[in-house]
Structure formats: C-alpha cells, structure tokens
Amino acid sequence: MNRLVLPLVIPLLTAIILLFAPRKALWQRWISFAGSIGLLAAAIALFLRIERDGIAVLQAGGWRAPFGITLVADLLAAMLVVAAGIVAVAVTATSFAGVDPKREASGYHPLLHVLFMGVCGAFLTGDLFNLYVWFEVMLVASFVLMALHRTRGQLEAAFKYVTLNLIASSVFLTALGLLYGGTGTLNLADLSTVFRGREMGAFELVLAMLFFSAFGIKAALFPLFFWLPASYHTPPAAVGAVFAGLLTKVGIYSLIRIFTLLFRDAPPGVYTLLLGQALCTMIVGLVGALAQRDFRRVLSFNLIGHLGYTSVGLALVTPAAMAGSILYILHHILVITNLYLVSGIFLRLRRTTQLAELGSMYRERPLAAALALIPVFSLAGVPPLSGFVGKVALLRATLEASAYWTSAAILVVGVLTLLSMGRLWEASFWKPAPNPEKAPLNRVILLPIAGLSAATLAITFAAEPLFTLALRAGEQLLRPEAYIEAVLYGGARR
Amino acid sequence: MELILAIAAGALYGTGFYMMLRRRLGQLIVGLGLLSNGTNLLIFTAGGLTRARAPIIAGDAQELARPYADPVPQALVLTAIVIGFGVLAFSLVLAHRVHIATGADDIEEIESGQ
Amino acid sequence: MTSLILRTGARVLMPLLLLFGVFLLLRGHNEPGGGFVGGLVVAAAYALHSFAFGVAAARRALLVSPRRLTASGLLLALGSGLLGPAGGKEFLASLWPAPEMGIGTPLLFDLGVFLVVIGVVLTMTFTLFEEL
Amino acid sequence: MRIALNAMLPLIVLSPFFLLPLVVRLGKQRAQWAALLALWPAVLAVYFGALMRQVGQAGPVQASLGWAASLGLELSFYADGLSLLFALLISGVGSLIVLFSSRYFDQDPRAGRFQAILFAFMGSMLGLVLADNLLALVAFWELTGFTSYLLIGFEHERAEARSAALQALIVTGAGGMALLAAGVLIGQAAGSFNLSALLARGVRLEDAASYPFVAVLVLLAAFTKSAQTPFHFWLPNAMTAPTPVSAYLHSATMVKAGLYLVARMTPLVGETPLWNGLVTAVGAITMAIGAWRSVAETDLKRVLAYSTVSALGLIMMLLGVGTEAAVAGALVYLSAHAGYKGGLFLVAGTLEHEVGTRNVTELSGLRRSMPVLAVAGLLAACSMAGIPLFLGFTGKELLYDSLLGAGGGWGPLLLLAAVGASALMGAAAFIAGWSPFAGSGGPAPEHKVPAALAAPPLIMAAAGLAAGIWPGAIDGVIGLAVSGVLGDAPPVRLSLWHGLTPVLGLSLLTLALVAVLFRWRIGVRRRIEPLRMDFERGYTLALRGLDALSAWSLRALQGGSLRAYVLVLIMIVGGLVLTVLISQGLPGFPDVMDVQPQEAAAALLIVGGAISAARSKSIITAVLSLGLTGYGVGLTFLLFGAPDLAMTQFSVETLTAVIFVLVFYHHRSVGPMSTWPIRLRDSLMAVLFGGSIAAVLLFVGAADTPLRLSGYFAENALPLAHGRNIVNVILVDFRALDTMGEITVLSTAALGVFAVLRLGRDMKS
Amino acid sequence: MRPEMLVYAALVLVSAALLIAFVRVVRGPTLPDRVVAVDLIGVCAAGLSVLGAAVSGQRGFLDAAVVIALLGFLGTVAYARYAEKESLK
Amino acid sequence: MILANLLLALAWAALNGRFTLESLVVGGVLGRVILLILARGGVLPERQVARGERAVVLMGYLLWQIVLANLRVALDVVSVRFRMRPGVIRLPLDVTTDGEILLLSAMINLTPGSVALDVSPDRRIMYVHVMHIETPEDAKRRIKEGFERRVLGLRVPQKEGGDEA
Amino acid sequence: MTQWLTGILVLIGALLMLLAAVGVLRLPDLFTRMQASTKASTLGLACLLAGTALQLAEVSSSIRAVSIGAFLMLTSPVSTHVIARAAYLMRVPLWEGTVVDEWREDAGGEPEAGT
Ligand code: NA
Ligand code: NA
C-alpha cells in the first residue's frame, strides 16, 4: 500500500477500534498508544522514502489529478507529519499517568486520534477542498476535546474557541467557493498552473485576502489571534499540548502552501502585508506574555509571538527564510508541546497553573526541573538549544533579505522571550511555593517530557542535516515545478 | 439571477454576523446557522447556475448531455452542508452547556461573571 | 406518552420512511439520493418515533446503539477504501464485481456513510432527549 | 606534540561539558573527594600553557568539530595569544575556585549541582574565548550568560537572588542578541564567519555599509557583559550570588568577556574614531563611577563589585586608547585584576562563611584568628592598590605611561580620571582586603579556617606578587596576547623599574592619595554615600514600561468579549475584501437579470427569513426563520439542477430544527437586548459586510466557471465509475476521501454532543 | 404553447402562496400560528418542486418533493412539541 | 403482515419505476426486513399495519369530499366579512382502534370545515374544530353519519392470520 | 390534450394553494387558519401531483405522485392535531366569533398536561 495513506488510515482505524473497544481506561490507553506508535512509524517510513526518492504522490481512488484527490508529500509535509507523530506518541504516553476518568470514558482517546488524522490529512493533501475537510476534522475533534470540561471558565473558553474558529471555517469556505467558481478546479498543483503568470486582479487579490484571513485566524496571526489566548490555557495539559504544538502550525502550513502555489506572483503589497503581520504577531505576542500571571497563558502568548517567527519565511519568500521558518516550526512543535506537558506536572501537583501558586520545583523535584529546563530555555533561544539554532537561521535569512526591521524584531522578541521565560522559570521553579503540593506525582508523566526534551536536543545536534533538509524543503516550496509535475503526472492513473 | 442570489447570500452573511453580535447564546448559534446557509449558497452560486439540468446521465445515454449543472460545486456544498450540520449541532449543545454552567444566556453576563 | 393520533400516524409512517431511506441509498448512484440523504430520512423516521413513543422505544426500535452504528459505518467506509489496496489498487479505488447490478465498493462506501449518518443523527437526538 | 595539542583543542574546550555527569556525582561527595574536581581545570591550564608555548613558536592554531555549517554555525576553535591568555586565566582561576567551592559547599546537598553549573560555565567561557566561528562565539557568549543566571540564582529561595539573576540574564542577554546580529552582519559583509580566516585575510569592515551598526552592536554586547556604564548596575546586584561565583564570574572571567570581545574585534571593526571614541569614553566614565561608588559601600562584596566595575572601565578605556602600550597595559591590568580581585572575593566569602557577615563596619581585628587569610587579603590589596613589587603596580605604570603618550586632547583629562580612580580603588582595596583584619574587637570565627578555603585566595594574591617581582615570567604571554589584538607587534618588555619618570611620580601621588583616603575612609564614605546615581532606574523603568504596555495591549486587544472578537474579525475580513474591491475597481456588471418567479420566491424567502431571524425577539422564531432560509436555499438548489443537494438541505434543515427545539426546551433564551446604538452599529456592519460578500460573489464569482473537472466527470462517470448520478459518484468515488473526512467530522460531532451532554448531567447530579 | 402558460401561471401562484404564508410567519402572533404557516411553506415548496418536475420532466424533483413532504411533518411535530413544553413552563 | 409486505414490495417497484420480477423480489425482501426490524423493535403490532394500509386505500374515495371542503373554505377565505360560526365540539367515538381513529381524523380534516384536534386518553371522545356550527349536535351528527359510519364499514373481517382485533 | 388537462389541474392546484395561503394570512384565529391550510394545501398539492403525473406519463412518476399525496393525507391530520393540541395547551385565544368550546369545558377551563 502506498505509504502516504497510512498517516490517515492508522489514526482513523485506531479511533474506530477505540470506539468499539471496552471503555476501560487501560484498554483505551494501550490501544491509543499503539496507534500513535504506528502513526510515528508510518510517518518516519514516509519521510525516509521521500528524503530518498523525492516528492511522493497518491491519487486517491486511482483517479488522476486534478480529477481525484491527490495526497502529496514533499519534504515539508513529511517532516511535519513526523513531528505530528512525535507529538502523538508523547501525548498518548502522558495518558498513562492518568486522565480524568470521565473524560476518558467520553471518548478522549478516539478524539485525539481523529485530531491526529485531521492534522496529517491537512499536511498531506494536495487538494484545497480536501484541506477544508481536514481542517474541519481537526477542528471538530479539538472542539470536543476542549469542551470535555466542567468548569465555567473552561466551557466559556471552549465556546469562544468554537465560535471564532467557525468564522474562520466560513471564510475559508467562502474563499473556496469563489475559487472554484473562477477556476473550475480545486487541486493545488492544477490551480498553480492556472494562476501561473496571471496578473493578480480583483479576483486573485480577494481570494488572497480571504485565504489569508481564514488561515491567519487558524494560525493565530496578528490581528486575528485573540481566540488563542482566550482558550488555550484552559484544557488539560495534554490536550493543550496537541493544540499548541500542532493546530496553529497547520494554519501556517496552509498559508505557506497557498502563497507558494497560488499567489506566487502576488504584488509586493501583499508581501508587505504578510511581513507587517509577522512583525506585529511577534511583538504583540511577546509583549502580551509579560503581563500574564498563569503558566499556560504565558505559553499561549509566547506561542503567538513565535508564530510570527514561523511566518517570516512566508513573507520574505527566499529559500533561506523559508528554511529558517521551517526549522523554527519543527523546533517550536516539540518545545511548545513539551511545555504544555510540563504545565501538566503543575496541574497534578498543585491543581493550578497560576504562577503565584507554583514554585519550589527546582529544589523538590530536581529531575522534573532539569527536564523542564530544556524546553523552557530552548524556547527562550538559549544556545545551543534548538531555539537558538532556529533564531540564527531566521536572523541570517532576514538580514540577507535586507529585512532589517524584521531582524530587529526577531532580536527584540528574543530578549522579550528570554525575559518571559526567565520570569516563568523563576516563578514556577525557583520561588518557594506558598502551599505544599496537593497530590503525589506519577512519574510516568516525566517520560514524554524527557522524550521531547531529548528530541529538542536532537535538533541541536542534528542542526546541520535538519537545516539542509529545511533548505531543500524551502527550495521545493519556492520552486514548485517538481511538486506540480509530481501531482499532475505522478502516481497511479486512470 | 446571480444578482438576486448574491444579495440573498449577502443577506445571510450579514444577518448571520449581526446575530452573532447579539447578546444571547441562542442568537449566536442561529447566526452561525445563517452563516452556514450563506456559505453554501455562495459556493453554489459561484459555481455557476444552470436551470433544472441535474447532472444525472439519462437512462439511455452513456454520457451527460450538455448543458448540465456543474456537479462539482454540488458535491462540495453537500459536504459543506453535512459538516455544517454536525458542527452547528455541536456548537448548539456546547452553548447550552455554557448556559447550564453559568445559569445565564446573556453573553455579557456570562463573560462578566467570571 | 403522547397523543394517540400522533402515535398511530408515526406507526404508519415509519416503515414508509425506512423504505424510502433505503431506496434513496440504493439508487443514489444513478438517481438523486445516496447515503447522506437516505441516512437522514431513516434518522428522521426514528426521531419521529421518539417524539411519538419516547426515546426508549425508539432505541429499542433501532436494535443497535447509535454509537455502534456510527463506528460500524466508519469502519465499513474505511474498509471499502482499503479493499482497493487489498486488490492491488490505490486507496479508495473502487472494485466492481458486478457493475451492471450496481454492486461495487462505492455502494459499500455509501452504505458506510448511510450508517454513519443514521448513527450520528440518532446519537444526537437520543442523547438530547435523554440528557436534557 | 604540536599536532596532538592542535587536534585536542575542541575536545579540551568542551571537556567540562562532557564531564558534567561525573561532576554532579563527585561534587556531591565529601569535600576531600569533591576537591579532586579541581584537578581538571588545572590540567586544562597546563594544556593551555603548553599550547601557548606552541603558539608562540608556530603561530595560532585552529581546529573544528563541525556543527551546522550551512547555517554558518560551526564548533571551530582558534587559539592565539589573546585567547590563550584568557583561557589560562579561566582554567587557572577556575581550578582554585573549584577547590574553594568543594569546601564552601561541603555537606550541602546542592553541591553537585553547583559544581556542575560551574563546570558548564567554565566550558562556555573557554568556548567563548577560543571560538573561531563568530556564531559559535555568540552561542558560548549567551551560554555564559545563561549559566551565570543559574549561578546567581543559586540561592533561589531568596527573592533578591532571583531578581538579580534575571537582571543579569536580561541585560547580558540583550547584549547577546546585539552580538548575534553583529556576528551575522560581519559574516555577511566579510563572507566568512571564521575569525581565523578573517584575521588571516586582514579583513576590515570599516567600509561596509553596515559598519556603524556592526560596531555599535558589538560594543553594546561588550558593554553589557563587562558592566560598563550605564549597564553596570547588574554587577553589584549579582553579588547576591555565592562567593565562588562572584570571584570567578564577576571578577576573573565572565565580566572580562566584553573586554575580550573588544580586543578580539579590534582588528576587524576597531581602530576607527567611532570605535575608539566610544570605547575610551565609556570605559573612562565607567572607571570613574565605579571607583567613586566603591568607597561608598559597606558590604564587602559590593565594595569589590564597584571596584571591579571601575577596573573593567579602566581596561576598556585602555583598549579604546588602542596604542601598543595601552593594549599591553590593559592585558597586564586584566591579568593582575583576575588575581587580586578573585583573591579578595574569596577572602570576603571566607569571612562571611566563618564569621557570618560581610559588613566592613562590623569586621575588624581578625588577623589574629585568621592569619593566613589576613596575609592573602593584604597581598591582594597591595596588588590592587598598585604598591610596587606587585603586578598591580606594573599594570598601573603601563596605564599612566600609555595615557601620557596618547589620547589626543582628551589625554590629560583621562590621566586625571585614571589617577583619581586609582586612588579610590586603592583605598577600596585596603577597605576590603585589610580593614577586616586590622584593629581590634569585632566578631570572632568559630573555628580555624580550613586550608581549602584559605589556600586559593592566598595563591591568587601571591601570584600577583610573584608576577610583579618577575614580570619576565609573563611578558611573553602578554606579548603574544598583544599581537593577537594588534597584529605582529614588537615583543613586550615588562619591567619593575623604569627609572625616575613622570609615571613614577604619578604612582607615588596615587599611593599618597590612597593612604589619605584609607585613613579617613569613614568620613569619605559618609560624604560620598548620598551622592548616587541610580543607573538601575533605566532597567526598572524599562521593565515597568513593558509590563504597562503589556497590560495595555491586553486590554486593547484581548478584552475578553466574544462579541468584540467577532466584530473585529468581521471588520478585518470585510475590510480586506472591500479594500481590494475598491482599489482594484469593479469589473463589468454581469448579465444577471434573468429571473423566474419561483426563483425570486426562493430568494425572497431567504432574505425574508434572514431578516426575520435577525429581528425576532423569541429564539424559537429565530430558529423557524433560520429554517425558512434553509428552505429557500434548498429550493434554489432544486431549481438549479441540484436535487441531491435540495433533498439533503431539506432533511438537514428539519433535523437541525429538531435539535434546536430539543435544546431550547431547556434553554431559557431570554436576556436584555443591546441598546439601539449598538444595534445600529451592528446593522451597519452587517450591511457593509453582507454587501461586500454580495459584491464579491457578483463581480468575482459569478463569471463563467470553466468545466475543468466536470467535463471529465461527465464523460467518465458511467464507463469508469458505473454511476449515472454524477454528484453521488463524486461523493463516493472521485472524491471519496472528502466524504471519508466528512463522516469523520460527523461522527466526532456526535461524540461531542454525547460527551458534552453526559458530562453536563454528571455535573448537575 | 398555451398549456405551458398555465403551468407557468401555476408557478407564479404557488410562489405567491409561499410568500404570503411567509408573512404569517413574521406576523405570528403565537408559535402555533407560525408553525402552521411554516408547514404551509413546506407544502408550497413541495408544490414548486412538483411543478418543476412538470416543467423539466425530471423525476428528481418528485423525489425532493417526497423528502419535503415527509420531513416537513417531522419539523411540525418538533415545533408543536416545543410549544407544548413552553406552555407547561 | 403479508399484505403489508406485498404493499411494500409494490411500493418499492413503483419507486424504482420498474415492475419487473427482480425489483418486486428485491422490494419484497427489503420490505420483509424492514417489517421484521420494526416488529422486533416493538414498533408495529401486526394488525395496526393492516389498518394503516386500508386507511391509505380509502384515501382515493375521499377525494371528492375534499373538493367540496375546499370550495367551502375558499368562500370563507375570500369573503370580505367573516360569516362563519366556528367552535370546538365534543364528538363521542364509536370507532375504537388506532387505525380507525387516525382514519377518521384524516377524513374529518380533509372535509368541509372540520379539523380534528385531539382524542381523549380513553379514546371515547374526539374534539373537533368546526367552521360552521348551527348547533353542536347537528355538527356531531353530520360527522358521525358522514364519516364514522364509513370507517366502521371498513371493519370487514379479514382472513389474514392475526389481523383481527 | 393531456397537456391542457395538466395545465388546468396544476392551475387549480396552484389556486388552491394560494387560497390556503391567503386563508392563513387572513382568517382571524389559529384554528380557522388551520382549516384553510390543511384542506387547501392537501387538495392543492394533490392537483399539482395529478397534473404532473399526467404530464410525465410514466409509471414510476405516477406512483411517486400518488405516494406523495398519500403521505400528505396521512401526515396532515397528524400535524394539525399536534399543532392544535399545542395551541390548546398554550391557550391560544379563539376568535371572538367562536360559538362553542366543548374541549375547554371538559377540561374544566384549565388546560391539562399530557393526555
Ligand atoms: Na462562476
Ligand atoms: Na473509489
């Protein structure tokens, strides 16, 4: 079977099995974990194959592009699927440390796998409407995961999340309808040939703006980001980890796809808009982080700020900038997922993530603190951790592209992140906690954190091959001829 | 006809958002429903209008006789309708849960009550 | 328990709706219809039944739990998609053992859709009837 | 031998990191075992000494481990005289500090962690001074900042330790960012990130467009790290760190990284008026302010910290003057400072460890109970005050000498400042190094000072005397280092006696002033103490400003109201669309006025239903109206050849109504309406937004759609997919993957409805 | 050409009926009034659909009419149930 | 039950538009399955199936009555001044089974000026809204003689097993 | 000829539906409106169906038309009934010209829940 389909089939099959399986916690956890391992294995296999043989294509149903739906994996997609696999394994492993039993019985595990399926589908699809479908798969699963709570604040946050994301979906769908109405096709590669060399008139620009808005909301870019900090701090740590690690990245990924395939010939104004948006996202996110008094809200705002980093490549459209953004996305997925899992430790120990209530970790739980040190300061960009590598890559790219304001923003945001993470560390690890711990810690929870920290270190050590890969991926994106060729003329045909 | 349907779609978008800006949870959800109907109508209209020529191959033919209504937007809209239904039902229930948890239906009251 | 007239009406309508739903499913490949609308009609039949006789009766009438139905539908659809690769073709590629009878994996797929739709709508309505 | 030393360089530099697991374990053991850790830095010092000899004979060496070459980021190392001088200080002082710490933290469960961070710091510091790759230099630079953050915050239960740590992290971290930018700019302007290559090619960036930025960024980094005014405030605050940290980081090594950087970059970006002017001026001001404040403090460590600031400024000033003599003076002064100041810090730490206080006004008469420590303190103070025979004297001679001969019009002023600062520093030296031991009375220690605590300061202080008496022992090293800054300079000759020169006169004058100031130190302190300038204010204000900005931005952008968010989203999306439409001009009006009555009825039903929904006061009427729009849409589908769609739409509409009705049985949707101005605003917004969507649809979307896909479907649905209803064939075959996702969405939504309601019931019960 | 005119006229009349019924939905005043009107709108929609079959000769219209007729009934039942519950509150 | 099955098979064939043996067999099987499912689910006691079918058959007969009803209503609707005398009357029932009651109410609804509103829980009384009431007794008599008699007339003993009450 | 018949049938049907709509709009209270809507809509639709069945002149369409009619006749009393019941429970006011209300008399003037 074509390996491309496995990252979709494995999670779906796992979800279905979980629906049929006994609702006993242990069954659910093991099946769920096994599914994640399978997903990761499939992702790695896919990645290795693509790394070796180039872009892979699956024409679903055997209908040739653009008539059927094409699944396509280039380097970027494959890398992101692997990252999704890693997140999946980490998050499902966390459940062995215990999940709220009611939530577990309400379909927590199948929902996670549906979410993974949606994420992988979004990364792998070569069809714009199919992307919408995966977005919805992802969103609905995230809606439900978010809504599986009881407190008033959590519910309210979930409701905001749902409403604002539905608006985004609606805008996406509007853009899709107009796009099909104007071009008669939905396949990204086919659309790329349609738009190639065409002057950007009202039609194209309206589409660009609508897609930008739709994906910008999903990617939580300025000024469309507010749903994220309004909601991401409320779900349980593991759920927050998946959301923060993967969901916004799908938005960025879609923007990259759209702007490298459809709007390659956009007028400079569009890129100025993108760049300005990236700058504002960075600054607003990190400035916003400073006033936060909750561990996870600090993370939310940092997440936003760094999403600005990840959208720089999109605005500068140079291979180096693209590579920098890609590298940063990979780093960020691992690190932010890890940090949300770390917040889970606090939730276990202290039943809260309010910074005022935290502390004493450094003294009382040195192992956990040592493990957390890596993601906290990797996010802060302390060398030689992955954040530093990503920052260097982005800085080089922006300076090469003479985008000095962006470079300045990257540096300023770097300092602000350092400040934000320093304060976070101080408040949650160093300072003496006002109250004793309320519950014992199941040390199983440290395993995924250790794994992700190790993965962060691996990025450091493998910086060279990874950056080379990111560069290749960036070049694939900016010279999409190979992608188009593979989609339109590759794979089985009918 | 495009003009009229464009206005109709615009009305659905406009009123949909108008209702989402009201203070009651229920109105917000109805607004989402209007928006969803508007989107479906928009896709359908943008895909081109052909009167009464369903894309169904007649019993004795091997191929679809032209002109025919473009089946692709129909398939897209069908998917969108069904997805919209699922999502709307879920949001409605979620809104209701918020209502139960807070005892309020006024969004301002819910938000200020924290 | 609701009124006699409603109950009787529902009782008579029920088989007709079911028949019509299955009809829509089976000939959807050639005429208007298909798994979605067929499933919706069947689900509407059971929803009507729960209005007339209460949800417990409707659950009994369904024989299977809607959740199971949903999961089975998903499995059926996915399984029909995996038959293609099993037969050496692409994922979701259709196999037609008897095309002139309309028998092929797309029908299986549509049946999966049909079951999912019934399961979903009834999960929702039954739960709403019961939990609220 | 040569090749071996060469090749070992990267591993040697990184060895402290490799040893971390061992250090954690060994550091936890009792002091006599933990003291073994000091052996490794000593070995390193020997290695660097050997390498220095080799470099002296055969020139700088270079070795690389690779890393991320395509990012320009390489773990490559370069050893010349300058870097080896620093490496020697780092490893030599490091060895003594590790030894000292083993005793200082004896029986402390955190000892292993402390030693490990200390080793990590040592490794970073070695990496910093030995890095060849500019970006690696930046990485190590930031890593020293980070490890120092952990060290300053070691006593993290204390709030001031935490805030001092954060302050140091932010201030030097900001400098690190500047350096990163500078590094990248240099690499881009010069075409290489490798110092060895740049130095070998004699690259100078003076003419590059980015030069002013590069220079300022480099200096910003150097000034923050080396505690130059106005960034110096972090250093005295950092004195809350454990004493070994102060001695090691804040006198001997890390704060000198900025000096190293300036020296290192001089061949590349230095020797321009901008550079020299800035370095000299900032150095001089820092020198003056530090010296001034040093005699005003009463906390031993703060006295030492301000005198360190002053010394750092002094050395910086000398680097700015930039003549051969000045650079040589800077490096000698730097070496001398490492010895005496490290020693004095350790003395201060031991006093606190044994007596329990660091307040100079409380400490006195300790020479009898702590004779060894008293000797160490006295020796170090003499070197610091520039008493002849000590290395400090040699350094000061070079200082005056170079200022007499250079500095242009500013020379005399600089000289005056230098004399004054030296006098104040001399007084501070005796305040810190001698006054606790002099006199009588005061607290007494509980027991004898252990050798492991007394030996390191004594060794450091004695080294100053030894090098002062035999300057020939170090002039080779200094000479090599100077040539690392200025290229091939003639060999430096250090000597104890220069004859009766004006410089000697100045030295004597300085000593006299020292005596006077020390004698009346209490009065001086009282006079000076109130005259302070709060440089920390800038930092505090900046942070406070940021916090205020943050709070403001949250209020402005994150008000928490869902309706506001929705409104903003609408405005953004609508605004973007309208902007495009207006700026692009609308395309031609399509031919659209062909309407049949039933179609008009459907459209009217939609519009009417929509308006009715918006106007309805009861929720059920709104739901009914929503259903009517659905009917209208369904009719439209039906009339335009989409029976499948129409059937689905009608069914879905009905089932939606059922679900709404089921929910609203139990949901009292009554509440206040918004006020009429808000309703008006929202209506306007709605009209505008709806209008723009209508316009887009009309002008953009209603053009003829190419049958790019549909043609194929129409031809192949029957022969290939065996179906006549093409919509269905698309759904279950051509685009079955969409459908697969769609039923997944549906199933998930159902699961969600179930779960949310079930959890809701659990909550109620 | 006359008979087609009649069908066309019928289309106009049913469309008008639909819109008139809509006025009753807006006017109410009670929920049952609205439900009756909505029910009638459903019937009109089914009627339009049937007429569509007559005009175009496509059977698909009739199927749609079946769906409208069958499901409109369910909607009415639901709304009526709502009205009952409301009245009991 | 068998009749019901036959009817469903016919309906199936009709829906398909092909009265071939094939479609009749398919319809028969399908109908059987549906009926079995419904019977297992407790939806359809068999005799009610049969009653429902006969009620459907009766519809054709009613057609002309309906025409009359419509003319009468049309008059009411278009008359400028309302001249009706509407009211709700109590109709004692002689019919007993569910099917009969449904059939009766359908006929009442479809014919001049009357709408069935409700049936009392004991099935003895049906409330009917009548547009033109001279006296309540007169209205009741007209319904009882016009329709209930006919519905009762449908009570022809059936030979089918289990179909008799 | 059949075309004429079709035309006339559908026109009658359409007129009846219009009549129903006008009735629903004009008549004074809910119950009288229901009188209009039930009858006119059923017969109206039946006429439309008959006309269309004639026009299409094929078995499957005719059967479908018949079955729609049958459905409607089956469902219309039920929907009337459920609405009327709700209206009664909600105490929707009767027109002032109403001569008698024996339903409410039986209930003792008070609507009661659940029959
Ligand atoms: Na179009
Ligand atoms: Na297929």
Side-chain angles (χ1 to χ4, degrees), chain F residues 47-63:
Chain F
R47 59 196 168 85
Q48 273 146 23
V49 177
R51 288 273 186 264
E53 287 149 10
R54 265 179 279 154
V56 173
V57 173
L58 198 70
M59 295 294 170
Y61 162 78
L62 274 173
L63 215 64

Side-chain angles (χ1 to χ4, degrees), chain A residues 177-178 180-183, chain B residues 44-49, chain D residues 697 700-706:
Chain A
L178 295 172
Y180 181 82
T183 62
Chain B
F44 188 74
T45 311
L49 298 174
Chain D
L697 177 52
V700 172
D704 276 347
T705 302

Side-chain angles (χ1 to χ4, degrees), chain A residues 60-63 494, chain C residues 91-96 105-106, chain D residues 732-734 736:
Chain A
W63 301 105
R494 175 137 54 128
Chain C
F91 178 59
L92 284 173
S94 39
L95 306 173
W96 289 95
T105 50
Chain D
V732 301
D733 202 340
F734 291 125

Side-chain angles (χ1 to χ4, degrees), chain B residues 1 4 6 10 14 17 21-22 24 37 46 50-52 54-59 61 70 74 82 96-97 105 108 111, chain D residues 561-563 570 592 594 599 603 617 629 639-641 667 669 671 673-674 682 686 689-690 701 710 724 726-727 742 756:
Chain B
M1 192 58 205
I4 290 182
F17 274 122
L21 293 172
R22 304 276 59 77
R24 296 183 204 155
N37 278 343
T50 308
R51 282 201 179 97
I56 294 171
I57 301 169
D70 188 346
Q74 295 191 17
V82 176
H96 181 63
R97 274 284 281 122
D105 184 59
E108 273 184 13
E111 282 170 347
Chain D
S561 157
L562 177 61
R563 291 158 70 215
I570 297 171
V592 287
D594 163 28
E599 296 162 3
K617 298 211 168 42
T629 65
L639 297 173
F640 289 97
H667 186 129
S669 193
M673 307 288 289
S674 9
D682 293 349
F689 186 80
S710 309
R724 293 176 177 278
I726 298 185
V727 175
E742 180 190 354
V756 167

